[in-house]
C-alpha cells in the first residue's frame, strides 16, 4: 500500500443485515469502526444502531470473531455525529437498495467527508455511475463500489467497481486494504447490473429453475443433483435461495430484468408465479422459517408445485446418474450427462450448457478476463470450480461443439451464437500458466492499458494469443500489486501451474521442502492431514533435518485443513491386532515407598493396567508415546517451530500446534481438543500442556481457577470457532499471530520464523517443577460432573472420561501444590488414554465416528 494512504478508521452507513456485519468484520481486523443509523424516535438517539450491534451476537454463524469484539463498534446516528466522518479514511454506504434513498444520503453526508476520504457503496447491483451522479463532482474521483458478499466475515469475495471518474490508484489502495487487512479476494468488475458474481450466479439459478420445470423435477431432486456432486455447497440451488432470502433473490432478478433489456436471455429474467406468491405471503426462506422448504418438527418438507402443498423431502438421484456424477474427471462427467437420456442427466447438461453459453457471451461486458469471472463465482457462490474452469477441464472444443449444436437445434435458452473467441478452433481453454484470456484489446506500447488511468494493477501487458480471431487479444497475467507478493501460493485456477518449492525429503505421508531459503516447510499428504505412525516418523525426521540444515521449521499444508487429528482407522486396526498390555507403566508411578493402591479419580487404580482388557496393545501405546515424543520435539527443537494453521486443527493437530514455538493462524481456524467425542482424552501432550499453562498463569497462586477453564474446554470437546476465540480459550498465546487472509499465511509464518532466528533463538528450558491441583482439584471437578450426571446432561461414560481428564490435569493422587514434571503428566495422559481405549463404549464411539463422521453419545 502506498505510504501516504492508510485505512485507520472506517464508517459504515446503515446498520441493517449487511452494514452491521461489515462493521463486525472490520473490528475483527482491528480497524476502528463507526456504525451509523437513523436516530431512534424515542429514548437514546443511538437506540437503533445499539440494537443492531447487540443483534450481532445472536447470528449464526457469528459475524464476530469473538463476542467481545462487538464493544469495539462505535455507535453513531445521522443527526448528532456526522462530524465524525471527517476523521474516517473510508466510508462504506450499506443502506437499502434504492437509488433515491442512497442519493439523498450522499447529498447529506458529502459536506462532512475529509478531503482524502474514500466513499464506497456496498450496492449489490445498482449502477455505480448513476449513484455517482448524486455525489459532488469534485468528490467523484474518490467514489466507487465495494460489494461484500453475505455473510461478509465468511465469504471471500469483494467486487470493486469504479465509476467513470474513479482514480485508478484509489482502487489499488482499496484492493490492498481489502486483501491484506480484511482477508478478501478482490475482483474488479465493470459497472453493469449485478456486476460479475450475482450476474452469473443468479443466471445459473434461473437456468436451473427453467430446466427443472422443463424436466418436471422437484425442488429437492434438483438440490440433490446440484450440490456437492457438482462441487457446490450442500445447500445447492433452492436451499441456497431460502438462505439468501426469496425477497433478496427477487430484487436481484428484477434488477436484471429492468436494466438488461438487450440481454439475449432477457425473456428468462422473470420470476415464476410460485416465487411471487411465496414472497407475497411473507414466506421468504430461512429468516421466516418457511420458503421453498419448511422444517416441521425434525423433518424437512418441500413445496410441491403440483399440489401447492408442502410434502416430506425424499429426493432420490437415479443410480445411473449418480455413477456419472461420482466421476471426478470433468470430461467424462459432462460427456456422461450429455449422452444420457435420463431426465436428471439431461437437466444437468442443459443447465451447464446455458451457463457456459451465457458466460462466453457476457464476459466482455462484465469482466476484464476469464480469471475474474471464475474467481467471482467461486468466491461469491462457493463453487469449487468456476464455469470456464469446468468447460476447459471437460475439453473446450468438445463442449463448444455440443453447445453450438444445441443452439442450432433450438435447445438452448438463447439462439445467440457463441462469440468468435469461444468457438475459435485453435482454442483449448482460457486459463494458462501465462495468464487468463481477456477480451480486452492488447495496448500498443504508446497507449495506456484499457481502464488503467495509472493503476499499478493494470500496468501489465496482455500476452498475445495469436491473430486467429482477427484482433489483438490475449492472456492477462495476475495482478502486479505489491500486496500479492505476500501470497506465495495464491488460490489457483485450472491451467495455472503451482510449484511447491524444492524437496528435502518425502514419503507417502509427508514432504519436507523449501522455497530457496533456509526455512524448512513440512506438509502432510494424508487425507484431511490426519496423523498416523508414518506422519509421526516424518515429523521427527523433519525436526532433525531442520536442526541440522535449516534455520526454522514450519508446519503448513498446501490446502485446508491443518489437521483433523489422529488417524482413527489406524488406531482401531492397532486395537484389533491387540495382545497383552505391558505392566511397565505401573513401575513408572509406583516407587518403592508407595507400593499401595494408587487411586485415580475415574474408578480405578494404576494396578488396573496389569489386568488390561483386550484392546490395550503395545503397538497402540507405542504410537501414543511417539505422539508425545513428537510434541516435545516440536517444543524443544533447537530451531524455532511454527504451526501455520488454517481451517481445522483438531485433536492431535491442536496438540502439535500448541507445542510449537509460535502459532500463526488465519482468523478462520477452528481449533480444539475434541478427543472426548470418540471416548478418549488428549494424549499427545494436550492435557499436559494446558495443565502447564494453568500453572504458569497462576504465578504461584491458586492454580484451580486457571485449570478449570482448560478442563472445561477439553472435557466438553469445545472447538474455537475462530482464531480469536482460540486465543480466548487459551490455545493461542498472546505471542501467537492471527492472519486475515489464508493466502498470506505462509508468508507471515516465514516472517515470524525469521524474527525468532534474528534473536539468536534458543528453545525454552524444560519445566521440571509444575505445581498441580492434586486430589482437591480432582474432587472439585468430580463433584461438578456428578451434578451433570444426576441431571442427565452427561452419560456414565462421559463421566468416566471426565474423571480421567481431571485426574490427568490435576497430576493424579497427590497433594495440592505438589511439583511434578512434564513426563509425569504425559505418563498420566497415556495411561488414561489406554484405559479408555480398552472400554467397549469408547471403541463404539471410535467405530461410529469412522462410519458416520459424527460423534456417538453412549
Amino acid at each position: 500500500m502506498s505510504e501516504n494512504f492508510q485505512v485507520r478508521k472506517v464508517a459504515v452507513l446503515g446498520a441493517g443485515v449487511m452494514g452491521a456485519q461489515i462493521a463486525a468484520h472490520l473490528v475483527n481486523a482491528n480497524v476502528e469502526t463507526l456504525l451509523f443509523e437513523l436516530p431512534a424516535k424515542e429514548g437514546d438517539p443511538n437506540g437503533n444502531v445499539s440494537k443492531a450491534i447487540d443483534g450481532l451476537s445472536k447470528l449464526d454463524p457469528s459475524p464476530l470473531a469473538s463476542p467481545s469484539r462487538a464493544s469495539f463498534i462505535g455507535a453513531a446516528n445521522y443527526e448528532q455525529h456526522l462530524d465524525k466522518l471527517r476523521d474516517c479514511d473510508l466510508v462504506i454506504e450499506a443502506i437499502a437498495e434504492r437509488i433515491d434513498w442512497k442519493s439523498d444520503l450522499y447529498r447529506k453526508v458529502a459536506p462532512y467527508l475529509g478531503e482524502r476520504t474514500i466513499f464506497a457503496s456496498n450496492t449489490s447491483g445498482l449502477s455505480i455511475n448513476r449513484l455517482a451522479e448524486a455525489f459532488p463532482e469534485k468528490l467523484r474521483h474518490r467514489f466507487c463500489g465495494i460489494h461484500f458478499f453475505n455473510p461478509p466475515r465468511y465469504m471471500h469475495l469483494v467486487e470493486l467497481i469504479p465509476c467513470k471518474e474513479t482514480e485508478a490508484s484509489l482502487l489499488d489502495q482499496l484492493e490492498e486494504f481489502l486483501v491484506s487487512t480484511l482477508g478478501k479476494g478482490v475482483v474488479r468488475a465493470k459497472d453493469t447490473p449485478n456486476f460479475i458474481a450475482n450476474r452469473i450466479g443468479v443466471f445459473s439459478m434461473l437456468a436451473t429453475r427453467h430446466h427443472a420445470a422443463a424436466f418436471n423435477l422437484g425442488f429437492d431432486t434438483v438440490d440433490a443433483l446440484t450440490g456437492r456432486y457438482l462441487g457446490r455447497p450442500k445447500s445447492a440451488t433452492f436451499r441456497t435461495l431460502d438462505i439468501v432470502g426469496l425477497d433478496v433473490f427477487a430484487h436481484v432478478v428484477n434488477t436484471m430484468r429492468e436494466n438488461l433489456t438487450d440481454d439475449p436471455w432477457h425473456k428468462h429474467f422473470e420470476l415464476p408465479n410460485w416465487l411471487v406468491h411465496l414472497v407475497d405471503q411473507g414466506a421468504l426462506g430461512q429468516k421466516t422459517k418457511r420458503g421453498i422448504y419448511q422444517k416441521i418438527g425434525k423433518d424437512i418438507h418441500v413445496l410441491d408445485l403440483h399440489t401447492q402443498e408442502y410434502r416430506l423431502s425424499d429426493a432420490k438421484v437415479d443410480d445411473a446418474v449418480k455413477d456419472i456424477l461420482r466421476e471426478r474427471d470433468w470430461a467424462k462427467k459432462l460427456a456422461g450427462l450429455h449422452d444420457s437420456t435420463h431426465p436428471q442427466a439431461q437437466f444437468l447438461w442443459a443447465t451447464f450448457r446455458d451457463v457456459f453459453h451465457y458466460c462466453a457471451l457476457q464476459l466482455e461486458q462484465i469482466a476484464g478476463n476469464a480469471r475474474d469471472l471464475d474467481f467471482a463465482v467461486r468466491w461469491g457462490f462457493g463453487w469449487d470450480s468456476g464455469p470456464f474452469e469446468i468447460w476447459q477441464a471437460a475439453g473446450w472444443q468438445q463442449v463448444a461443439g455440443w453447445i453450438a449444436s444445441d443452439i442450432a437445434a433450438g435447445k438452448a435458452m438463447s439462439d445467440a451464437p457463441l462469440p468468435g473467441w469461444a468457438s475459435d478452433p485453435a482454442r483449448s481453454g482460457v486459463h494458462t500458466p501465462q495468464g487468463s484470456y481477456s477480451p480486452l484489446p492488447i495496448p500498443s506500447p504508446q497507449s495506456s492499458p484499457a481502464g488503467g488511468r495509472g493503476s499499478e494493477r493494470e500496468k501489465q501487458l496482455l500476452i498475445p494469443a495469436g491473430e486467429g480471431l482477427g484482433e489483438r487479444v490475449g492472456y492477462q497475467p495476475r495482478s502486479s500489486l505489491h500486496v500479492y507478493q505476500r501470497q506465495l501460493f495464491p488460490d489457483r485456477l485450472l491451467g495455472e501451474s503451482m510449484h511447491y518449492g524444492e524437496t528435502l525429503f518425502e514419503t507417502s505421508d509427508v514432504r519436507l521442502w523449501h522455497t530457496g531459503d533456509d526455512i524448512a516447510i513440512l506438509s502432510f499428504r494424508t487425507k484431511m492431514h490426519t496423523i498416523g505412525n508414518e506422519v509421526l516418523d516424518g515429523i521427527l525426521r523433519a525436526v532433525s533435518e531442520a536442526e541440522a540444515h535449516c534455520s526454522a521449521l514450519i508446519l503448513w499444508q498446501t490446502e485446508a485443513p491443518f489437521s483433523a487429528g489422529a488417524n482413527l482407522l489406524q488406531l482401531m486396526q492397532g486395537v484389533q491386532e491387540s495382545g497383552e498390555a505391558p505392566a511397565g507403566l505401573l513401575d513408572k508411578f509406583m516407587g518403592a515407598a508407595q507400593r499401595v493402591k494408587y487411586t485415580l479419580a475415574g474408578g480405578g487404580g494404576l494396578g488396573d493396567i496389569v489386568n488390561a482388557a483386550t484392546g490395550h496393545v503395545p503397538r497402540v501405546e507405542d504410537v501414543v508415546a511417539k505422539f508425545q515424543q513428537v510434541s516435545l520435539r516440536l517444543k524443544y527443537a533447537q530451531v524455532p517451530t511454527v504451526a501455520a494453521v488454517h481451517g481445522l486443527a483438531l485433536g492431535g493437530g491442536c496438540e502439535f500446534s500448541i507445542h510449537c514455538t509460535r502459532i500463526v493462524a488465519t482468523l478462520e481456524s477452528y481449533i480444539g481438543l475434541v478427543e472426548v467425542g470418540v471416548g478418549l482424552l488428549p494424549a499427545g501432550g494436550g492435557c499436559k500442556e494446558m495443565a502447564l499453562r494453568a500453572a504458569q498463569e497462576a504465578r504461584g497462586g491458586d492454580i484451580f481457577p486457571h485449570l478449570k477453564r482448560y478442563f472445561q474446554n477439553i472435557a466438553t470437546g469445545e472447538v474455537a470457532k475462530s482464531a480469536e476465540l482460540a486465543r480466548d480459550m487459551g490455545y493461542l498465546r498472546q505471542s501467537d499471530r492471527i492472519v486475515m487472509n489464508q493466502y498470506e499465511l505462509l508468508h507471515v509464518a516465514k516472517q515470524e520464523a525469521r524474527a525468532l532466528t534474528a534473536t539468536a533463538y534458543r528453545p525454552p528450558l524444560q519445566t521440571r517443577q509444575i505445581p498441580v491441583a492434586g486430589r482437591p482439584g480432582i474432587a472439585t471437578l468430580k463433584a461438578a460432573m456428578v451434578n451433570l450426571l444426576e441431571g442427565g446432561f452427561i452419560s456414565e461414560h462421559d463421566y468416566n472420561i471426565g474423571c480421567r481428564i481431571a485426574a490427568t490435569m490435576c497430576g493424579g493422587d497427590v497433594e495440592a501444590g505438589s511439583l511434578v514434571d512434564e513426563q509425569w503428566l504425559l505418563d498420566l495422559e497415556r495411561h488414561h488414554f489406554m484405559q479408555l481405549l480398552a472400554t467397549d463404549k469408547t471403541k463404539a464411539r471410535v467405530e461410529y465416528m469412522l462410519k458416520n463422521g459424527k460423534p456417538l453419545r453412549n
Side-chain angles (χ1 to χ4, degrees):
M1 190 173 293
S2 59
E3 293 181 357
N4 61 351
F5 177 82
Q6 284 187 343
V7 177
R8 296 159 295 184
K9 188 174 183 178
V10 176
V12 179
L13 309 184
V17 173
M18 282 299 291
Q21 291 194 70
I22 291 170
H25 194 60
L26 286 162
V27 295
N28 287 342
N30 291 323
V31 178
E32 187 178 354
T33 303
L34 292 171
L35 181 60
F36 278 77
E37 188 48 271
L38 293 169
K41 294 179 180 179
E42 298 178 355
D44 180 6
N46 281 338
N48 290 334
V49 69
S50 296
K51 182 178 179 181
I53 294 171
D54 291 342
L56 290 170
S57 61
K58 301 172 185 175
L59 296 177
D60 185 25
S62 175
L64 297 162
S66 170
S68 62
R69 288 275 146 180
S71 65
F72 293 99
I73 302 174
N77 67 76
Y78 300 121
E79 283 190 4
Q80 297 177 306
H81 305 121
L82 288 179
D83 276 336
K84 293 185 177 183
L85 294 176
R86 300 188 197 280
D87 299 327
C88 295
D89 304 291
L90 172 64
V91 176
I92 300 172
E93 170 269 305
I95 68 170
E97 289 287 89
R98 283 185 50 172
I99 284 185
D100 55 342
W101 291 0
K102 291 178 185 287
S103 298
D104 288 344
L105 179 63
Y106 296 178
R107 284 187 280 267
K108 183 172 185 174
V109 303
Y112 297 92
L113 300 178
E115 64 178 32
R116 296 192 57 77
T117 300
I118 297 174
F119 192 96
S121 174
N122 182 56
T123 177
S124 60
L126 298 178
S127 169
I128 299 301
N129 281 298
R130 280 195 62 191
L131 290 172
E133 291 172 4
F135 222 61
E137 190 171 353
K138 65 179 182 179
L139 297 179
R140 288 178 194 168
H141 66 291
R142 305 192 69 74
F143 178 76
C144 66
I146 180 172
H147 180 209
F148 289 83
F149 275 66
N150 191 19
R153 171 184 160 186
Y154 301 95
M155 298 306 291
H156 191 56
L157 178 64
V158 172
E159 292 173 316
L160 271 183
I161 314 99
C163 69
K164 287 181 289 188
E165 293 91 348
T166 307
E167 283 182 8
S169 58
L170 174 147
L171 292 179
D172 292 344
Q173 293 166 348
L174 262 184
E175 183 165 350
E176 296 212 351
F177 168 73
L178 290 166
V179 169
S180 202
T181 304
L182 298 190
K184 296 304 175 185
V186 172
V187 165
R188 302 282 182 98
K190 296 183 180 181
D191 186 22
T192 55
N194 294 339
F195 312 130
I196 301 175
N198 277 343
R199 181 77 169 270
I200 301 303
V202 170
F203 176 81
S204 174
M205 290 179 169
L206 290 172
T208 301
R209 182 202 65 78
H210 172 82
H211 293 300
F215 288 97
N216 195 29
L217 300 179
F219 296 128
D220 51 344
T221 299
V222 170
D223 281 350
L225 290 164
T226 59
R228 290 310 301 160
Y229 280 129
L230 302 186
R232 299 178 190 175
K234 290 181 180 179
S235 55
T237 302
F238 294 109
R239 178 70 184 120
T240 295
L241 291 185
D242 269 358
I243 293 170
V244 169
L246 300 185
D247 54 335
V248 175
F249 178 72
H251 170 79
V252 175
V253 174
N254 286 334
T255 299
M256 294 175 71
R257 185 179 65 254
E258 294 167 5
N259 297 285
L260 293 170
T261 55
D262 295 333
D263 192 302
W265 285 264
H266 182 264
K267 66 181 180 181
H268 298 289
F269 301 162
E270 293 289 341
L271 295 171
N273 291 333
W274 60 263
L275 195 146
V276 174
H277 182 64
L278 286 174
V279 173
D280 289 344
Q281 286 185 319
L284 307 180
Q286 183 171 276
K287 58 190 173 186
T288 60
K289 303 189 185 304
R290 184 167 73 91
I292 297 170
Y293 290 91
Q294 182 179 21
K295 189 174 184 180
I296 302 175
K298 295 183 178 181
D299 297 324
I300 303 298
H301 289 66
V302 63
L303 181 65
D304 189 318
L305 290 183
H306 297 293
T307 65
Q308 295 298 310
E309 301 288 341
Y310 288 89
R311 61 166 172 79
L312 189 66
S313 177
D314 59 352
K316 291 181 175 61
V317 177
D318 177 78
D319 288 341
V321 175
K322 194 180 294 183
D323 288 340
I324 297 171
L325 292 175
R326 284 172 172 161
E327 175 59 59
R328 293 181 178 273
D329 184 336
W330 274 109
K332 295 178 181 177
K333 182 180 287 190
L334 276 193
L337 296 174
H338 176 269
D339 296 341
S340 173
T341 59
H342 194 281
Q344 292 181 357
Q346 282 297 292
F347 153 75
L348 287 170
W349 160 246
T351 304
F352 274 116
R353 175 199 64 217
D354 288 318
V355 171
F356 294 159
H357 187 190
Y358 193 79
C359 290
L361 205 65
Q362 300 297 343
L363 174 62
E364 184 173 0
Q365 307 301 318
I366 65 176
N369 57 68
R371 176 178 54 250
D372 284 349
L373 188 148
D374 272 348
F375 274 147
V377 175
R378 281 173 50 174
W379 295 341
F381 280 78
W383 292 20
D384 291 348
S385 302
F388 286 136
E389 285 185 284
I390 296 171
W391 186 349
Q392 181 169 330
W396 191 275
Q397 287 302 315
Q398 177 71 79
V399 173
W402 290 337
I403 296 172
S405 295
D406 281 4
I407 294 172
K411 296 180 180 179
M413 290 170 66
S414 169
D415 59 3
L418 281 173
W421 70 264
S423 56
D424 178 8
R427 180 167 300 285
S428 60
V430 293
H431 302 304
T432 73
Q434 291 74 40
S436 294
Y437 171 76
S438 172
L440 298 174
I442 297 177
S444 65
Q446 291 78 28
S447 66
S448 62
R453 293 190 58 193
S455 165
E456 287 300 321
R457 191 182 200 270
E458 300 299 336
K459 287 178 182 175
Q460 45 201 12
L461 289 177
L462 293 171
I463 301 167
E467 309 298 328
L469 303 180
E471 58 180 333
R472 300 188 76 234
V473 295
Y475 292 86
Q476 190 174 56
R478 283 178 176 257
S479 171
S480 59
L481 281 178
H482 178 73
V483 69
Y484 292 109
Q485 294 178 20
R486 296 167 59 87
Q487 297 187 10
L488 304 183
F489 300 98
D491 199 0
R492 64 173 173 173
L493 291 162
L494 177 79
E496 293 183 316
S497 59
M498 191 75 79
H499 176 63
Y500 290 102
E502 303 301 323
T503 301
L504 293 171
F505 79 81
E506 61 184 323
T507 69
S508 60
D509 290 81
V510 302
R511 176 175 178 251
L512 187 70
W513 53 286
H514 65 86
T515 59
D517 53 24
D518 62 350
I519 297 177
I521 303 164
L522 184 69
S523 301
F524 301 171
R525 290 176 157 178
T526 51
K527 185 177 181 180
M528 295 289 286
H529 304 132
T530 54
I531 302 160
N533 192 47
E534 295 77 12
V535 171
L536 296 175
D537 288 337
I539 299 174
L540 291 173
R541 180 178 172 187
V543 173
S544 296
E545 289 278 345
E547 288 177 327
H549 306 294
C550 303
S551 66
L553 173 65
I554 296 174
L555 273 60
W556 177 81
Q557 314 298 3
T558 57
E559 58 184 18
F562 178 75
S563 175
N567 183 336
L568 293 177
L569 181 60
Q570 187 181 73
L571 178 70
M572 291 310 294
Q573 288 171 341
V575 170
Q576 290 163 5
E577 296 167 6
S578 60
E580 286 298 314
L585 276 182
L586 182 63
D587 291 332
K588 190 74 180 177
F589 286 89
M590 306 295 286
Q594 197 184 8
R595 275 243 192 237
V596 295
K597 183 175 182 182
Y598 199 96
T599 305
L600 288 170
L606 270 173
D608 291 347
I609 198 167
V610 179
N611 302 312
T614 301
H616 269 153
V617 291
R619 181 175 179 277
V620 173
E621 186 172 342
D622 288 346
V623 172
V624 176
K626 189 184 294 184
F627 223 116
Q628 297 177 335
Q629 180 190 0
V630 168
S631 292
L632 291 180
R633 284 290 281 135
L634 288 169
K635 184 174 182 177
Y636 295 112
Q638 293 301 307
V639 295
T641 57
V642 179
V645 176
H646 174 63
L648 300 176
L650 304 179
C654 175
E655 289 176 299
F656 287 166
S657 300
I658 62 178
H659 281 85
C660 285
T661 315
R662 285 286 185 277
I663 297 175
V664 178
T666 64
L667 183 72
E668 301 311 325
S669 295
Y670 308 103
I671 303 172
L673 296 170
V674 296
E675 286 82 352
V676 294
V678 290
L680 295 167
L681 56 73
C687 292
K688 178 272 300 180
E689 190 64 17
M690 304 324 286
L692 173 58
R693 290 187 184 186
Q696 292 170 337
E697 290 167 10
R699 298 179 180 274
D702 186 4
I703 301 165
F704 189 78
H706 305 277
L707 184 73
K708 181 180 177 182
R709 73 172 181 133
Y710 293 132
F711 168 80
Q712 288 174 333
N713 291 343
I714 295 173
T716 60
E718 185 176 357
V719 175
K721 294 182 179 178
S722 73
E724 196 68 49
L725 276 175
R727 197 193 300 278
D728 292 345
M729 293 171 67
Y731 291 128
L732 265 64
R733 300 150 294 194
Q734 288 304 311
S735 57
D736 294 326
R737 307 295 180 212
I738 297 176
V739 178
M740 297 300 288
N741 195 313
Q742 67 184 85
Y743 300 105
E744 295 184 358
L745 179 61
L746 183 58
H747 166 80
V748 177
K750 283 191 159 197
Q751 294 298 102
E752 277 296 304
R754 292 190 179 103
L756 288 163
T757 57
T759 59
Y761 176 79
R762 295 289 300 171
L765 297 174
Q766 290 203 24
T767 308
R768 303 189 185 280
Q769 293 189 327
I770 305 168
V772 293
R775 285 188 294 272
I778 296 171
T780 303
L781 294 175
K782 284 184 69 174
M785 287 186 288
V786 166
N787 290 334
L788 293 174
L789 178 63
E790 292 177 348
F793 296 105
I794 62 174
S795 68
E796 287 280 358
H797 196 50
D798 293 328
Y799 176 76
N800 181 24
I801 298 164
C803 289
R804 292 183 180 279
I805 295 170
T808 301
M809 297 187 72
C810 292
D813 186 18
V814 296
E815 297 292 336
S818 296
L819 300 178
V820 302
D821 59 15
E822 287 183 86
Q823 193 58 52
W824 175 271
L825 294 174
L826 289 173
D827 290 341
L828 277 171
E829 270 186 3
R830 194 166 71 257
H831 163 69
H832 286 293
F833 181 94
M834 297 303 296
Q835 290 280 295
L836 287 169
L837 190 57
T839 65
D840 290 337
K841 288 190 175 181
T842 284
K843 291 176 188 174
R845 287 192 183 192
V846 174
E847 290 168 357
Y848 190 86
M849 176 66 76
L850 285 170
K851 183 178 180 180
N852 300 287
K854 55 185 179 182
L856 169 69
R857 175 91 187 274
N858 62 358

